[in-house]
């Protein structure tokens, strides 16, 4: 009877060990699945962040190129405006020169006419 009890006890212990081993394998499998799911979830976020970073880098490079082009074009516009401004100044200088020449010529002509008129008056018989 004692040996039978011992055998039953050993059989129950073996069943418990097998059940415990089965539960351990199931727990390991569940933990592995959970870990993979967490890592995959994190990888999706990391992959999205990496893609966004790539897009941002591309946009930054494009913006730098456009800013350089804009700066070059702005420099050209400034040069054109300065040249135009200089041309306007020169036109103003020419206009002032023409006015002073015109004024001087008019004075000369007026003086000459006055001299001629006075000379005619003096030489005319009264």
């Amino acid at each position: 009877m004692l040996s039978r009890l011992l055998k039953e006890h050993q059989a129950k212990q073996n069943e418990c060990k097998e059940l415990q081993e089965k539960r351990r394998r199931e727990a390991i499998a569940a933990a592995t699945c959970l870990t993979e799911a967490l890592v995959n979830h994190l990888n999706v976020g990391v992959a999205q962040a990496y893609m966004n970073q790539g897009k941002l880098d591309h946009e930054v490079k494009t913006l730098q190129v456009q800013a350089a082009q804009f700066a070059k074009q702005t420099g050209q516009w400034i040069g054109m405006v300065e040249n135009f401004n200089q041309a306007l100044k020169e036109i103003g200088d020419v206009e002032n020169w023409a006015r002073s020449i015109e004024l001087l010529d008019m004075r000369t002509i007026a003086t000459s006419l006055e001299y001629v008129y006075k000379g005619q008056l003096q030489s005319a018989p009264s």
Side-chain angles (χ1 to χ4, degrees):
M1 172 146 170
L2 191 57
S3 74
R4 190 179 62 135
L5 285 175
L6 180 65
K7 285 183 184 180
E8 285 178 8
H9 174 67
Q10 287 176 348
K12 283 184 181 179
Q13 275 190 343
N14 283 340
E15 285 177 16
C16 285
K17 284 182 183 180
E18 287 176 10
L19 182 62
Q20 190 175 13
E21 183 65 26
K22 180 182 174 188
R23 288 181 180 165
R24 186 183 69 80
R25 284 192 302 263
E26 288 175 353
I28 289 173
T32 302
C33 288
L34 176 65
T35 303
E36 287 177 0
L38 289 173
V39 167
N40 287 340
H41 179 69
L42 290 175
N43 282 343
V44 167
V46 169
Q48 185 65 40
Y50 182 77
M51 286 175 38
N52 289 343
Q53 182 65 37
K55 289 177 184 177
L56 286 173
D57 289 343
H58 180 347
E59 290 295 324
V60 165
K61 287 178 185 176
T62 303
L63 183 61
Q64 286 174 337
V65 168
Q66 289 176 348
Q69 289 174 345
F70 181 69
K72 181 179 176 183
Q73 187 176 27
T74 302
Q76 290 173 344
W77 288 347
I78 289 172
M80 288 172 49
V81 168
E82 287 175 353
N83 290 340
F84 181 69
N85 195 23
Q86 184 63 33
L88 286 178
K89 286 180 183 178
E90 289 172 4
I91 289 173
D93 292 344
V94 169
E95 186 178 351
N96 286 335
W97 174 78
R99 283 186 188 155
S100 32
I101 293 296
E102 182 180 353
L103 183 61
L104 183 61
D105 286 349
M106 290 304 225
R107 284 185 186 160
T108 305
I109 293 170
T111 306
S112 298
L113 287 174
E114 186 179 335
Y115 179 73
V116 169
Y117 180 71
K118 286 182 183 178
Q120 285 180 352
L121 283 178
Q122 291 174 359
S123 63
S126 317

